[in-house]
Amino acid sequence: MQAKAVEADGVGLFRTEFLFMSRDTWPDEDEQFEAYKSVVKTMAGKPVTVRTLDVGADKELEGATRAEDNPALGLRAIRFCLSEPKMFLIQLRALLRASHFGKLKILIPMLASSHEIDQTLILLDKARAQLRERKIKFDEAVQVGGMIEVPAAALCLGAFTRKLDFLSIGTNDLIQYTLAIDRGNEAVAHMYNPLHPAVLRLIHMTIQAGAKAGIPVSVCGEMAGDPDCARLLIGMGLRQFSMHPAQILEVKQEILRADAVDLTPKVQRLLKLDEPDRVREAVEKL
Ligand code: PEP
Ligand code: MG
C-alpha cells in the first residue's frame, strides 16, 4: 500500500465508494468487513479513517441514486445513507467488526445539521447492539468524526465538537458549497478558488473551534496536498494533513521548513482581507 511505503502516519481518508461502484448489487457485510480489515491490518496499528459511503453528485452509483435536478444539493452522502438505513447499518457493522483488527476511525461525510449526527449515532448504537448479540468483537472506543464540507456545519461547530470525536475539513466540497461553484463544471472552473477569503475563514473557524474544544481537526481535501497552501494552513493552526501518498514528501518538506510562530500573525492579517486577489498575493509572500 502506497501510504505505508511513504511512511504516512496513517490513512486520513479511505473512500468506501469504490467498493460500491461499477456493480449491480451492493457489497454485503462480509465483503465490506474483509476490505476494511485488510487496510486496517496493513497499517499495523496506525490510524485508518474510513469514510462512510459518500454517494451522489460527482460520485454516481449505478441504479442507487435517483435522477435529481441538483444532485450536489440532493440526496448525497450521509443524506443518502440515512434514507437507506438497512444498507447503512450493514456498512456500520462491517466497520465496527474491522475496528477489532487495528485503529479504525469512522468518518461521516457532508453533515450539515446536528440531527444528522444524532441519527447516525443512533444507528451506530444499533449496529453495536446487533454485533453484541452475535457475540462479535469490535473496538468499543471507536472514534467517530464528521466532515466539515458544508458552510452550515462550519458555522454551527458547537454541535459538531460536542457530539463527535474529531473533524475533517473536506475542502473540495467546502469550496464548492461556499462559492456555489460546481466542482465538476468546466464552465465555472476558473472561479473555483481555494483562496477565496470566505473559504479561508470557514477553514480557520473550524480549526480554531476544534482547538478550543480539544478535538483533532484535519484537512482532507486537495488543499492539504498542495505545497503552496501548507504554510497558510500551518499559520491557521492546522497540524494534521491528509493527502494522496504521492504528495506527502513535498508537503512534508514545506511543513518542516515552516515556522508556526512567525506564520500565525501573518495569516491572522491575511484572513482580514476581503479581495481574493489580495489574499493570493499575501499567500505567495508567506
Ligand atoms: C472533500 O470534499 O474535500 C473530500 C475530501 O471529499 P471528496 O473529494 O471525496 O468529496
Ligand atoms: Mg467531499
Side-chain angles (χ1 to χ4, degrees):
M1 188 194 240
Q2 274 176 297
K4 212 177 166 202
V6 292
E7 295 179 13
D9 292 332
V11 174
L13 177 65
F14 182 85
R15 293 179 167 96
T16 57
E17 294 80 65
F18 78 93
L19 276 174
F20 292 71
M21 282 170 157
S22 309
R23 54 191 292 169
D24 299 330
T25 53
W26 290 340
D28 65 17
E29 183 180 318
D30 282 341
E31 184 183 341
Q32 289 190 55
F33 163 60
E34 291 298 339
Y36 307 147
K37 181 173 86 172
S38 158
V39 59
V40 161
K41 283 184 87 169
T42 303
M43 291 309 288
K46 289 185 174 172
V48 176
T49 305
V50 184
R51 182 174 73 185
T52 59
L53 184 64
D54 182 356
V55 60
D58 56 308
K59 308 174 188 77
E60 279 304 324
L61 275 202
E62 274 164 51
T65 37
R66 302 167 204 171
E68 295 175 298
D69 285 340
N70 278 313
L73 304 183
L75 206 55
R76 235 202 98 175
I78 188 60
R79 302 174 185 175
F80 176 80
C81 288
L82 291 174
S83 76
E84 295 278 352
K86 249 188 175 163
M87 180 280 302
F88 196 24
L89 268 173
I90 291 172
Q91 182 171 46
L92 293 174
R93 285 197 303 269
L95 288 168
L96 285 172
R97 284 172 61 187
S99 72
H100 180 60
F101 296 87
K103 179 119 185 71
L104 182 146
K105 303 203 251 178
I106 298 176
L107 180 62
I108 314 297
M110 213 195 152
L111 291 163
S113 308
S114 62
H115 71 86
E116 291 164 335
I117 305 176
D118 296 339
Q119 282 176 280
T120 302
L121 296 180
I122 288 170
L123 281 176
L124 198 55
D125 273 344
K126 192 166 174 183
R128 288 188 181 101
Q130 289 169 338
L131 291 181
R132 280 187 202 111
E133 216 163 88
R134 283 159 55 188
K135 304 215 177 331
I136 294 180
K137 288 187 182 152
F138 58 90
D139 175 7
E140 294 279 349
V142 71
Q143 291 186 14
V144 184
M147 285 191 73
I148 303 299
E149 38 190 2
V150 178
L155 293 166
C156 297
L157 285 160
F160 289 72
T161 55
R162 274 195 302 278
K163 294 169 195 254
L164 295 165
D165 301 308
F166 65 97
L167 302 177
S168 188
I169 306 173
T171 51
N172 307 339
D173 275 311
L174 188 62
I175 298 163
Q176 153 164 276
Y177 291 125
T178 305
L179 304 182
I181 298 292
D182 180 344
R183 60 193 264 192
N185 185 338
E186 286 294 325
V188 287
H190 60 289
M191 288 187 269
Y192 185 89
N193 180 9
L195 299 184
H196 191 293
V199 173
L200 298 188
R201 286 177 201 172
L202 293 173
I203 295 174
H204 184 241
M205 281 163 65
T206 307
I207 295 170
Q208 294 304 312
K212 201 166 160 212
I215 76 165
V217 177
S218 65
V219 169
C220 70
E222 294 293 318
M223 254 179 110
D226 180 350
D228 294 338
C229 291
R231 298 166 70 78
L232 169 67
L233 292 169
I234 290 278
M236 285 187 187
L238 187 74
R239 297 296 179 265
Q240 281 186 30
F241 293 65
S242 160
M243 68 200 73
H244 190 278
Q247 288 149 327
I248 290 182
L249 291 180
E250 208 181 337
V251 175
K252 215 174 191 172
Q253 275 183 348
E254 278 298 320
I255 293 172
L256 290 174
R257 276 203 294 263
D259 175 355
V261 177
D262 171 59
L263 288 168
T264 305
K266 290 182 180 161
V267 170
Q268 294 285 351
R269 284 197 292 278
L270 173 162
L271 285 167
K272 295 202 174 89
L273 300 172
D274 283 320
E275 292 172 47
D277 288 347
R278 291 198 56 210
V279 173
R280 183 168 296 281
E281 283 164 24
V283 170
E284 278 165 11
K285 283 193 203 132
L286 280 177

